[in-house]
Amino acid sequence: MRRTVALVMGISAALALATTAGAAVLGDRDPAPAVSAGSREPATAGQGAPQAAPAGEAATVAQPEATAQRPDTTVRKAGRAEAGRVEAAHAVLGYLDADRTATLRYPGAEYVKVHFSQLLLLPGDYLTVSDPKRTEVHRIDGDPVGSVLGTAGRWAMSVTGDTAVVELHSSRLDLLGLSGTVAKLGVVIDKVTRGFTESERGAASDAYQREKRQAARTGREESICGSDEKADAVCYRTTEPVVYRRSKAVARMLIGGVELCTAWRVGPKNLLLTNNHCVADKSETGDAEVWFNYQCAECGGYDVFRPTKVWLSELLATDRTLDFSLFSVTDFALVEKFGYLELDLRRPEKGEELYIPQHPAGAPAMVAVSSDRDRAGNCAVESNSYDGYADDTDISYYCDTEGGSSGSPVLSRRTNKVIALHHFGGCPNSGVRMELISKKIADLR
């Protein structure tokens, strides 16, 4: 009896709050024009809108139209690399005779990330967002009072691969005549972000290179200097085991579902560093994913380890002039095993050899070690007194980088510690000296 009373009170609170916030409820929505029955293939561009799935069946969201026909209008932030596109979607999951599962498929996409415009669940119920084989599963717990989203909505963690399956898990209680009320609860999916396909990645890379050449006049665009001599991190597993181990502490960042940077663990605590131009304020922390162990399994191969994904939790310190942001992550215990990097708090010497673990263009972890622009064949400090956003804040080097490498650690081969925070380039590329950043974050470390 107490369970029933609590359930009634929870439903009533959810509906009252939804009305106050102006959130749409399932009972007020028309059937979704972009949803087809689960037994049918997703519609392709030019076929017209499919019909809504019959009640109670799983729904499959239609494939988006061709990129050329649907220009992406997402606003990008300077200094970040593109990762994918925002696509409109529409699927409804609910109670009683409503669908409990929706499958969103974008053939060839690197990942799929689902957005909920409404998330009203009964107490104890929850969602999972997974790949079809459920090798990657992310849970979203329901709280009918706290989950009324208004216009802001909530993003789920991305799912690697081109298909995301969203499932509503419910205890299916005897609702004692509350069916009319419960019918207004449920989940609405209104959009997704999805990673580029292989052809789109190639087009984005070409566009990036053109923009880089145009921006090179300013000397502030990350660059490949001479031939691109970066290599997969795993290529160094045997020949340079220390370099390989250090790369494990470096993570790919997916920001807003469509943009990329690099971050890394600094010290044994729950602390990570990236650039200020990657994450500058708290408004950008709500949907920033941090992927660890996103690495190729073999040198030059195509198989990639399934990454361990956590959310950016709290922005702890940031500085525009020194272009850094220090933050923590959720579920820190999941990523402790990948190790951390230590800081080298001195001005490096001219000619000192370096290496940079990074995620260029969001690729699986790579390391820049060699350089055909340096006399000895290894990338090294070109200048230890280089101007960044202020005078004499940086070191410069010809280590190869690309968009998405922003926020990478620059390590000394002498100490295998981080001596600079990579942030821009133009051949030479440059990073902020770590002894300057360390003074700003000493109390937090």
Side-chain angles (χ1 to χ4, degrees):
M1 181 63 184
R2 283 181 294 179
R3 168 70 167 156
T4 302
V5 171
L7 180 61
V8 173
M9 292 178 66
I11 295 171
S12 300
L15 291 176
L17 189 54
T19 301
T20 302
V25 292
L26 298 183
D28 298 330
R29 287 185 173 267
D30 295 327
V35 178
S36 61
S39 60
R40 297 172 56 190
E41 289 294 316
T44 55
Q47 288 182 301
Q51 299 299 312
E57 292 187 13
T60 301
V61 174
Q63 172 185 337
E65 296 178 6
T67 301
Q69 297 175 341
R70 293 177 57 133
D72 186 14
T73 58
T74 306
V75 177
R76 313 292 183 195
K77 183 172 179 179
R80 298 176 183 168
E82 290 185 88
R85 295 185 175 277
V86 179
E87 299 282 1
H90 191 88
V92 174
L93 305 181
Y95 293 92
L96 303 179
D97 294 329
D99 301 324
R100 296 296 182 98
T101 303
T103 300
L104 301 99
R105 183 170 180 263
Y106 299 83
E110 182 197 5
Y111 60 84
V112 179
K113 184 174 176 68
V114 181
H115 184 267
F116 304 100
S117 62
Q118 175 176 304
L119 190 57
L120 293 172
L121 302 179
L122 293 173
D125 292 352
Y126 63 95
L127 295 177
T128 55
V129 182
S130 69
D131 65 295
K133 294 182 179 180
R134 294 185 67 82
T135 54
E136 180 179 1
V137 182
H138 303 290
R139 173 170 169 155
I140 300 175
D141 289 296
D143 174 353
V145 175
S147 299
V148 179
L149 303 177
T151 59
R154 183 192 299 183
W155 287 100
M157 183 73 79
S158 63
V159 172
T160 303
D162 66 5
T163 304
V165 179
V166 184
E167 185 175 0
L168 171 60
H169 300 265
S170 172
S171 57
R172 298 180 181 272
L173 296 172
D174 179 3
L175 299 174
L176 300 177
L178 296 174
S179 59
T181 301
V182 173
K184 295 185 178 182
L185 303 179
V187 176
V188 176
I189 299 168
D190 64 335
K191 58 184 174 181
V192 303
T193 61
R194 52 91 179 170
F196 285 146
T197 63
E198 190 65 36
S199 61
E200 288 171 334
R201 280 194 293 273
S205 179
D206 291 343
Y208 166 76
Q209 295 299 332
R210 288 194 300 271
E211 292 173 4
K212 183 191 74 175
R213 287 192 291 271
Q214 293 172 359
R217 302 167 190 165
T218 68
R220 290 301 187 241
E221 187 68 19
E222 292 165 309
S223 304
I224 295 170
C225 303
S227 300
D228 186 0
E229 297 184 87
K230 300 188 301 296
D232 295 333
V234 69
C235 297
Y236 299 97
R237 181 168 52 193
T238 301
T239 59
E240 298 269 11
V242 175
V243 170
Y244 175 67
R245 286 198 300 272
R246 296 296 186 271
S247 74
K248 289 286 190 178
V250 179
R252 167 179 169 166
M253 293 189 73
L254 179 63
I255 304 164
V258 292
E259 295 181 292
L260 299 163
C261 278
T262 298
W264 47 280
R265 282 191 59 204
V266 51
K269 297 180 181 179
N270 183 3
L271 297 172
L272 287 86
L273 270 172
T274 190
N275 286 145
N276 169 272
H277 74 249
C278 293
V279 178
D281 55 58
K282 292 182 179 180
S283 67
E284 298 176 308
T285 64
D287 183 36
E289 299 182 17
V290 186
W291 297 15
F292 281 87
N293 202 38
Y294 186 59
Q295 301 202 5
C296 290
E298 297 181 0
C299 182
Y302 295 95
D303 292 335
V304 177
F305 291 122
R306 184 171 295 279
T308 299
K309 302 176 184 179
V310 292
W311 293 105
L312 189 158
S313 176
E314 184 179 2
L315 185 62
L316 302 171
T318 190
D319 187 285
R320 185 182 182 282
T321 300
L322 297 181
D323 200 13
F324 78 85
S325 288
L326 182 74
F327 63 92
S328 61
V329 296
T330 62
D331 300 312
F332 176 61
L334 294 178
V335 300
E336 279 188 283
K337 61 187 176 185
F338 299 115
Y340 59 87
L341 301 179
E342 297 176 294
L343 305 184
D344 195 334
L345 304 181
R346 61 183 173 87
R347 185 191 290 263
E349 298 176 10
K350 181 177 171 60
E352 186 171 347
E353 293 185 348
L354 309 168
Y355 61 96
I356 305 179
Q358 57 188 284
H359 287 276
M366 304 187 79
V367 186
V369 174
S370 302
S371 169
D372 57 6
R373 297 287 295 271
D374 287 283
R375 186 173 302 173
N378 295 319
C379 63
V381 177
E382 174 69 15
S383 170
N384 64 356
S385 180
Y386 195 75
D387 293 344
Y389 286 126
D391 294 342
D392 190 23
T393 58
D394 287 19
I395 62 170
S396 66
Y397 38 79
Y398 288 105
C399 308
D400 295 318
T401 62
E402 294 183 64
S405 301
S406 292
S408 300
V410 181
L411 290 93
S412 166
R413 285 180 67 88
R414 180 190 303 173
T415 64
N416 290 298
K417 295 181 180 181
V418 182
I419 207 157
L421 178 66
H422 173 73
H423 67 150
F424 52 54
C427 289
N429 299 327
S430 72
V432 184
R433 299 204 315 271
M434 193 51 63
E435 88 270 16
L436 301 179
I437 295 175
S438 179
K439 294 175 183 176
K440 299 278 189 175
I441 62 174
D443 292 342
L444 297 170
R445 293 176 54 222

